[in-house]
């Protein structure tokens, strides 16, 4: 029925309907202790935060205090309730006191060591099932939930009810104050979880997972995880935001909010000689600026960095960035700055927006659709579920409606480009203000859709963007795969892989570093050279002369990256001149068909693979001499065989035999020997390679004089596996009757040897084409008849 972790002892403590308390070690799974604690069902247990005390509450109307250091002795019994005691909780701000809730309609607050309760809180019309103390801030509050379907917040100092929350349709079974967020969370037997604002007591959210009655709610300190226990199962949910609330101005001052507390760090405080490593946490002095008048849900610097806006709880406050003084405030569900720090907009409801100028209300926009959110920048962006509308800051006119589901909007510093982010894609658009001006000067009506040509789609990139900024004309973002990337001209470049979740908050141009923050509010930086971005921007604009001049300022280790970008944009010749890596240079030279440059680089690399590549390129270009040279250097024997046979170069084929033997290329050695008519060497090569049957058959066809020798070797080899098979082999010496015309074959072999001793010009190929050993035997017989052979 109830359980608690005791982390400092590695225990789980349980209370059950059999009146027993059981203690288990959750590492070893051993049972540490079992004892009978009450005479009726145990409803609740509570563990003292520092001492060795455990409280138990039961249907026997008692609360008991146990001390595990004294062998689980009951050191005190608290008796005052007149019905079941449903829950007991220690006060986190004064662990010597605790509160108990009972079905007798009361909450009693006790002190350890005193027999009677300090006081009693009464207000529920029915039994009280649950309670919790407020652990954050200074409020001395206690929350209770009862069978009267009500939730009550009490001030345990004034002993009065502060507020009553109504909305549940059945008994309230679980309540808690969230330790991190300004939320009161309540659960009921009606199956719903309700979340209320702990300051305004407004109902923020209702959850219903259809798992019947809610019985318990648990949170994890330092996390936004919430666990809910039902009749039919358990649910684990994330509430609030994981992304830390922080903003950085152009000078490197970072303002962050931890709950209501506002802190700042300044990157200018880094020593000039400090070495900053990519991905390393920066050691910065944290300064407390004070607190926010509202619980922050958004925090943004103004464009000039002089002000910081905080929005939350349906209100906004503008503070001075240096002294953190209240400059202005008002009502608003959302707040965004214009491109000009004197203008900002607020969303008062789903259909009403207000634009302020010089901290005074300037105009009101009444929408005929529901606004999901607003975005600042060069234009005021209003997001609905299926589209986004851009409005002019000065007169509130509709500039353009774009039908796309939008998650966020990011404007470049100059306001001429905007990144429109959806769930798994983002679009980079160019904004043409001059077209809008021309329309207005000509007196044209902008219409319900705005001006179609106001925006031009430059790039579409498939990525799930988490956070992003512009650095010049470069769009930098991190994605769901924790990659830090940037886009220039539609080309995505991966900078780094992040080892844990981080969020981009700015770019510091004087340090050439991207600034990120993690969930622990640690500041991390990564290098991104502004000169690299500017170079790519000039290339995109086609200003190659300026790009070439700027390249001199880019460190050489980045030149290869520049070359890859140039290649991707079709500037392969320029990429070749910029590249520093020899392998990459070679690939570019081959791509351009630049044999001279490729040969120059191949000499530097002196890698067989590169010589072979160059040889293939030379062959396709018809430069046979260069191809032969490359194949020799790369030891591409197949390529050399092709060249020598095509040229009918007997000397080259002869030299290739030696190369092939050196490289262990038996097939090429055999083929070269055969082409040169060195049939005896072919037989020996087959024999040496262990291919004795092939050697015997080859001898039978081309070298009859070696048949007996090869059959003998074959027999000896075959005897190792089958003597019968070996004996069945015949040779001309022992079985002359099986080898007709053997004598003529030997004479034909002599004739062939004579023919091979003289070089036959390649122009005579047609005379010898298709000539076989059988033809030679016929020729020998004919010569014998005519008296030409002895």
């Amino acid at each position: 029925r109830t359980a608690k972790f005791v982390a400092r002892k590695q225990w789980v403590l349980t209370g059950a309907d059999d009146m027993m308390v059981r203690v288990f070690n959750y590492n070893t799974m051993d049972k540490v202790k079992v004892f009978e604690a009450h005479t009726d069902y145990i409803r609740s247990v509570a563990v003292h935060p520092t001492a060795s005390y455990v409280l138990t509450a039961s249907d026997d109307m008692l609360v008991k205090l146990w001390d595990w250091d004294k062998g689980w002795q009951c050191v005190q019994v608290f008796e005052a309730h007149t019905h079941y005691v449903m829950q007991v909780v220690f006060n986190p701000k004064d662990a010597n006191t605790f509160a108990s809730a009972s079905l007798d309609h009361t909450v009693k607050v006790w002190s350890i060591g005193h027999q009677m309760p300090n006081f009693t809180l009464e207000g529920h019309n029915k039994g009280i099932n649950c309670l919790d103390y407020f652990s954050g801030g200074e409020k001395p509050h206690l929350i209770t939930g009862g069978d009267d379907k009500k939730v009550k917040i009490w001030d345990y100092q004034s002993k009065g009810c502060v507020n009553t929350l109504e909305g549940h349709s059945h008994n309230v079974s679980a309540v808690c104050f969230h330790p991190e967020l300004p939320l009161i969370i309540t659960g009921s037997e009606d199956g719903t979880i309700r979340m209320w604002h702990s300051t305004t007591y407004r109902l923020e959210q209702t959850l219903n997972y259809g798992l019947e009655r809610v019985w318990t709610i648990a949170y994890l300190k330092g996390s936004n995880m919430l666990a809910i226990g039902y009749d039919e199962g358990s649910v684990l949910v994330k509430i609030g935001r994981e992304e830390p609330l922080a903003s950085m101005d152009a000078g490197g001052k970072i303002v962050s909010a931890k709950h209501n507390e506002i802190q700042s760090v300044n990157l200018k405080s880094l020593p000039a000689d400090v070495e900053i490593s990519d991905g390393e946490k920066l050691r910065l002095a944290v300064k407390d600026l004070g607190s926010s008048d509202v619980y922050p849900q958004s925090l943004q610097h103004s464009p000039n960095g002089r002000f910081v806006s905080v929005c939350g709880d349906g209100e906004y406050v503008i503070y001075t960035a240096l002294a953190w003084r209240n400059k202005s405030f008002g009502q608003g569900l959302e707040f965004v700055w214009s491109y000009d720090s004197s203008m900002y907009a607020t969303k008062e409801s789903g259909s009403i927006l207000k634009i302020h100028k010089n901290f005074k209300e300037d105009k009101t926009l009444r929408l005929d659709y529901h606004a999901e959110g607003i975005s600042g920048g060069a234009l005021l962006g209003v997001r609905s579920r299926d589209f986004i509308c851009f409005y002019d800051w000065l007169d509130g006119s509709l500039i353009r409606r774009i039908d796309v589901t939008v998650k966020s909007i990011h404007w470049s510093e100059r306001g001429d480009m905007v990144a429109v982010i959806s769930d798994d894609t983002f679009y980079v658009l160019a904004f043409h203000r001059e077209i809008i001006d021309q329309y207005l000067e000509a007196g044209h009506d902008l219409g319900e859709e705005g001006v179609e040509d106001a925006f031009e789609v430059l790039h579409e990139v498939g990525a799930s963007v988490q956070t992003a900024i512009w650095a010049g004309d470069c769009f930098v973002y991190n994605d769901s795969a924790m990659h830090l990337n940037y886009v220039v001209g539609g080309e995505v470049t991966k900078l780094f892989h992040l080892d844990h979740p981080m969020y981009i908050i700015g770019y510091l141009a004087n340090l050439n570093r991207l600034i990120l923050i993690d969930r622990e509010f640690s500041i991390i930086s990564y290098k991104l050279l502004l000169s690299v971005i500017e170079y790519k921007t000039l290339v995109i604009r086609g200003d190659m002369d300026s790009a070439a001049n700027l390249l001199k300022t880019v460190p050489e280790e980045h030149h290869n990256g520049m070359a890859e970008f140039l290649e991707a944009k079709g500037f392969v010749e320029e990429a070749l001149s910029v590249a520093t890596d020899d392998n990459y240079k070679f690939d570019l030279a081959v791509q351009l068909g630049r044999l001279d440059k490729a040969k120059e680089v191949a000499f530097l690399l002196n890698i067989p693979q590169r010589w072979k590549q160059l040889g293939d390129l030379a062959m396709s270009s018809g430069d046979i001499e260069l191809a032969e040279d490359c194949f020799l250097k790369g030891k591409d024997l197949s390529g050399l065989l092709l060249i020598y046979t095509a040229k009918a170069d007997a000397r080259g084929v002869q030299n290739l035999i030696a190369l092939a033997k050196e490289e262990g290329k038996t097939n090429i050695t055999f083929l070269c020997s055969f082409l040169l008519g060195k049939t005896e060497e072919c037989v020996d090569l087959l024999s040496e390679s262990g291919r004795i049957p092939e050697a015997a058959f080859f001898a039978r066809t081309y070298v009859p004089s070696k048949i007996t020798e090869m059959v003998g070797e074959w027999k000896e080899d075959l005897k190792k596996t089958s003597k019968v098979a070996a004996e069945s082999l015949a040779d001309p010496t022992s079985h002359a009757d099986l080898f007709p015309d053997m004598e003529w074959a030997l004479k034909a072999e002599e004739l062939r040897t004579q023919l091979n001793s003289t070089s036959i010009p390649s122009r005579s190929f047609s005379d010898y084409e298709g000539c076989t050993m059988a033809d030679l035997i016929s020729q020998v017989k004919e010569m014998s008849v005519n008296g030409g052979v002895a």
Side-chain angles (χ1 to χ4, degrees), residues 70-92:
K70 294 181 179 179
W72 293 95
Q73 178 183 341
C74 180
V75 294
Q76 191 171 352
V77 177
F78 301 89
E79 186 174 1
H81 284 295
T82 58
H83 208 310
Y84 301 165
V85 184
M86 301 299 288
Q87 190 170 3
V88 61
V89 177
F90 278 106
N91 186 342

Side-chain angles (χ1 to χ4, degrees), residues 482-639:
M482 294 204 297
H483 293 150
L484 188 59
N485 309 308
Y486 71 86
V487 178
V488 177
E491 292 296 324
V492 178
T493 301
K494 179 180 170 183
L495 282 172
F496 300 97
H497 177 77
L498 308 178
D499 58 4
H500 65 284
M502 302 181 201
Y503 309 89
I504 304 170
I505 56 173
Y507 178 71
L508 210 53
N510 63 326
L511 293 179
N512 285 312
R513 300 197 78 83
L514 283 165
I515 308 302
L516 296 89
I517 190 169
D518 64 14
R519 293 172 186 171
E520 283 70 46
F521 289 85
S522 300
I523 306 300
I524 303 103
S525 73
Y526 289 90
K527 192 167 189 176
L528 176 61
L529 287 175
L530 191 60
S531 56
V532 171
I533 298 169
E534 290 172 348
Y535 178 86
K536 291 185 174 182
T537 302
L538 290 170
V539 170
I540 294 298
R541 294 175 181 170
D543 190 352
M544 302 306 293
D545 292 336
S546 299
N549 290 329
L550 183 64
L551 186 65
K552 300 170 186 175
T553 66
V554 178
E556 191 170 321
E557 62 264 25
H558 293 275
H559 282 205
N560 259 354
M562 300 299 95
E564 289 171 2
F565 179 78
L566 287 165
E567 182 191 7
K569 289 299 170 187
F571 300 106
V572 184
E573 192 74 45
E574 289 79 0
L576 179 58
S577 65
V578 171
T580 54
D581 180 75
D582 288 333
N583 278 299
Y584 186 38
K585 277 184 181 179
F586 182 88
D587 290 334
L588 291 171
V590 169
Q591 187 177 335
L592 289 166
R594 290 271 302 275
L595 291 176
D596 54 338
K597 185 67 177 177
K599 184 178 180 180
E600 177 187 323
V601 179
F603 268 111
L604 295 172
L605 294 169
N606 199 25
I607 300 172
Q609 181 188 356
R610 293 307 193 184
W611 284 118
K612 291 176 184 178
Q613 277 184 267
L614 182 56
D616 291 338
L617 180 62
M619 283 282 283
S620 63
S621 302
D623 192 339
I624 304 302
E625 185 177 345
L626 176 60
E628 182 181 350
D629 186 40
C630 292
F631 290 151
L632 281 168
K633 287 184 170 64
K635 295 184 179 179
D636 186 350
L637 306 187
S638 299

Side-chain angles (χ1 to χ4, degrees), residues 431-450:
F431 172 51
H432 303 296
R433 182 171 286 280
E434 66 279 4
I435 293 178
I436 302 298
D437 295 339
Q438 290 170 11
Y439 261 77
L440 296 175
E441 288 172 9
H444 293 308
D445 181 18
L446 296 180
E448 294 183 358
E449 298 287 326

Side-chain angles (χ1 to χ4, degrees), residues 258-284:
K258 290 184 178 179
H259 310 306
N260 283 73
E261 303 305 313
I262 308 297
Q263 298 178 326
S264 74
V265 295
N266 198 334
L267 295 173
K268 288 182 179 178
S269 64
L270 287 170
D273 58 346
V274 69
E275 288 189 12
I276 303 175
S277 300
D278 291 328
E280 194 174 89
K281 295 179 181 179
L282 302 180
R283 296 183 178 180
L284 299 164

Side-chain angles (χ1 to χ4, degrees), residues 43 119 233 282 290 308 314 321 323 331 346 354 364 407 450 461 466 517 522 622 689 695:
R43 294 281 182 173
F119 56 88
L282 302 180
V308 178
Q331 299 295 315
T346 58
K354 290 190 175 179
T364 299
K407 188 168 70 173
V461 179
Q466 305 300 303
I517 190 169
S522 300
S689 302

Side-chain angles (χ1 to χ4, degrees), residues 106-133:
T106 68
V107 170
K108 297 185 183 296
V109 177
W110 314 74
S111 291
I112 294 174
H114 295 265
Q115 292 296 323
M116 298 305 293
N118 299 341
F119 56 88
T120 300
L121 301 175
E122 297 183 82
H124 283 280
N125 299 324
K126 292 187 177 181
I128 303 173
N129 297 311
C130 48
L131 80 162
D132 191 27
Y133 275 100

